[in-house]
Amino acid sequence: MSKPLIGRIVRRLRQEQGLTQQKLAARLGISTSYLNLIEHDQRGITAALLIKLTETLQVDLAALSGSDERQMEQALREAFADPLIGSEQVPDSEAQLIAASAPAAAQAVLGLYRAYQAVREETGGITLPSGRKILLPNEEVRDFFHEHANHFPELEAAAEALGAELPAATLGMNHALAERLRHKHGLVVSVAPLPGALRVFDPARRQLVLSETLPRESRGFQMAFQLGLIEARELIEEIVRRATLTTRDAGELLRIGLINYFAGAVLMPYAPFLGAASELRHDVEHLAMRFGVSFEQACHRLSALQRQGARGVPFFFLRVDPAGNVSKRFSAAGFPFARYGGNCPRWIVHSAFATPGSVRVQVAQLPDGVTYLCFARTITSSPAHWGEPPPTRVVAMGCDIGRAGEVVYADGIDLDRAAVGIGLSCRLCDRPDCRSRAFPPLAHRLSLDVSTTSASPYRFEPAGGGSRTSGAGT
């Protein structure tokens, strides 16, 4: 993937605000010809001018960073690389141009591609034994959270108002939550065996039963979830209504996700958590202990610290199982996740399974040179019964290498020399001679020679070396 065309982003923002080049140049204190060169990506932008642009155009730095455009460009590349879309390869430069200059058109193209995928899956996808075909709505909900930067000010405000009424400092958070449920809502909280469930709410008996298999931090989260279900219901329903999702299942998933968000905001109030994260330099295990939450809950909360005027370090967040299935994904850091394929096997997300319970760290560099500090750790849940493998997943986070100094996991690492080259997915990665490659890249023609056994499973020609073909493994 190429680096973002920041000049085109500046031009689009200028045009959206109805400014001529002359007017914007005058406000920036530069010549019109200089601004014209910037908008055509023929001149770089200094840090001072970048800050002045954000002030003049009244946007935050993220709007000019190109992170949204990179995500969109990546999604366009994946759509255009689909062999069933057409035989003509769309150059990366054109995908980049569309993402930077015409984001509305790009969204329309991606919307059509998602609809096409839905039809393809519905007509020939997963079929249950009953004969019913299923279409998973999780991508639609993920897009909604991404569009809102995983931050919902109205839920933050409601959680802060609730937190101000909880005597957590004297009783402890879990006890305070249980007392709130009992005194305000007449609910009695109990712990008991719950085969196949973690939490059961019985409105007739006014009873909330939590599974005895839940650790203490998870019991607190479930009580906060129940409070969100009761006290933030109208607020959450309004957000779901505004989302205008296409299926009922997507609406239910979004509703659960928003209640989870509210619960996390209650347990980890924004300002105290942001302050502690800065103080502890984002030591997740220490943060989890201080707030009485799990490692995953602390990670997820770090990815949501995007309040206007009080932003935390932008992190991406990912949860993946040993089979490579992604169950949670969000990128405030602009990391371009592959939407329709697996992740790079060289990425630390996968090697973390080899060292359960330990935080693994990697400086990961994408093919376009953009580099991230990544850290990952396994999380393990209790099995339902003896003999059943405990569910194990990896939670991974990362930030732009420019913010690595604010993160404790960068200590002792030579950031200039430790970078490991990774790709977005094998099908989209142009790195030659990769011994970990699982699939040939879609945009390249295979270069096979029976006289030579390559160290890489697939050899391919450089871009432009011929028409795109698919090939079998060697």
Side-chain angles (χ1 to χ4, degrees), residues 131-151:
R132 173 176 173 262
K133 290 184 171 66
I134 59 172
L135 178 63
L136 300 179
N138 55 326
E139 284 292 343
E140 189 174 13
V141 175
R142 285 175 184 171
D143 286 347
F144 181 81
F145 274 91
H146 179 75
E147 289 164 7
H148 288 77
N150 199 25
H151 181 73

Side-chain angles (χ1 to χ4, degrees), residues 294-348:
S294 69
F295 185 89
E296 180 181 352
Q297 289 164 4
C299 284
H300 197 277
R301 186 62 171 150
L302 282 175
S303 74
L305 300 180
Q306 296 297 302
R307 175 178 287 174
Q308 186 74 26
R311 285 190 169 91
V313 172
F315 284 103
F316 70 74
F317 173 89
L318 183 78
R319 190 179 72 184
V320 63
D321 69 14
N325 301 307
V326 176
S327 51
K328 287 185 179 180
R329 180 181 70 207
F330 174 72
S331 181
F335 189 91
F337 293 120
R339 179 184 293 267
Y340 307 114
N343 296 309
C344 176
R346 291 163 58 89
W347 198 16
I348 198 172

Side-chain angles (χ1 to χ4, degrees), residues 71 131 222 255 281 283 292 303 336 369 389 392 452:
Q71 286 274 6
Q222 292 298 334
R255 185 174 290 106
R281 298 182 59 229
D283 183 335
S303 74
T392 301
T452 304

Side-chain angles (χ1 to χ4, degrees), residues 4 20 59 64 91 96 155 218 234 261 286 295 314 321 340 361 378:
T20 63
V59 296
L64 294 174
Q96 183 186 31
L155 294 183
S218 295
E234 292 184 6
Y261 183 100
H286 199 157
F295 185 89
D321 69 14
Y340 307 114
V361 184
T378 58

